[in-house]
Amino acid sequence: TIAGPVSIGAGASLRVSGGTINGPVSATRPVLFELSGTTVSGPVTVAGTTGALEIRMARINGPLSLVANLGGVRIDAVTVSGPVSVTGNSGSQPVVVAANTISGPLACSGNTPAPVNEGRANTVRGPASGQCARL
């Protein structure tokens, strides 16, 4: 359990499995970013990841923003109580936004290739727009 903000800088990595973070999480140009089975009470913002970015089977009590990540993005079976924004991510594989429960809007734009849900629909309680309108 971590109390307080977590900030990851350029060239660093974050890998949390089964933990609790009570505060915001931000990462700017990290190599790797992974939350698995983790609860975060606060916003999560990840920008410019050069390697894999994976958030799986996690709970985020706040907004989630993923911007301009390059090494692959996966949001899989995550519960988010806030808005989700997925913008300008690119890589050799599509962004995966699958089997999530989102209690706010889901907005996706400028991702190359466009996001997919791998046939596992998301539950979105706010409007879904842009590239994620049909996921």
Side-chain angles (χ1 to χ4, degrees):
T1 299
I2 297 172
V6 174
S7 180
I8 307 303
S13 294
L14 176 70
R15 179 174 277 158
V16 181
S17 180
T20 301
I21 300 171
N22 295 316
V25 176
S26 64
T28 303
R29 295 190 334 263
V31 174
L32 173 78
F33 187 93
E34 181 181 311
L35 298 175
S36 177
T38 303
T39 298
V40 177
S41 295
V44 175
T45 304
V46 184
T49 301
T50 56
L53 187 169
E54 184 171 308
I55 303 173
R56 181 184 296 254
M57 296 182 294
R59 175 176 291 277
I60 298 172
N61 298 312
L64 172 61
S65 176
L66 307 176
V67 179
N69 297 288
L70 306 173
V73 174
R74 176 174 286 274
I75 311 165
D76 196 334
V78 177
T79 300
V80 182
S81 61
V84 175
S85 175
V86 182
T87 306
N89 299 285
S90 60
S92 60
Q93 300 294 317
V95 171
V96 175
V97 180
N100 300 294
T101 301
I102 300 168
S103 297
L106 169 61
C108 299
S109 64
N111 299 289
T112 305
V116 299
N117 69 2
E118 299 179 328
R120 297 178 297 130
N122 297 283
T123 300
V124 182
R125 295 194 176 93
S129 62
Q131 294 174 310
C132 289
R134 293 191 172 100
L135 298 182

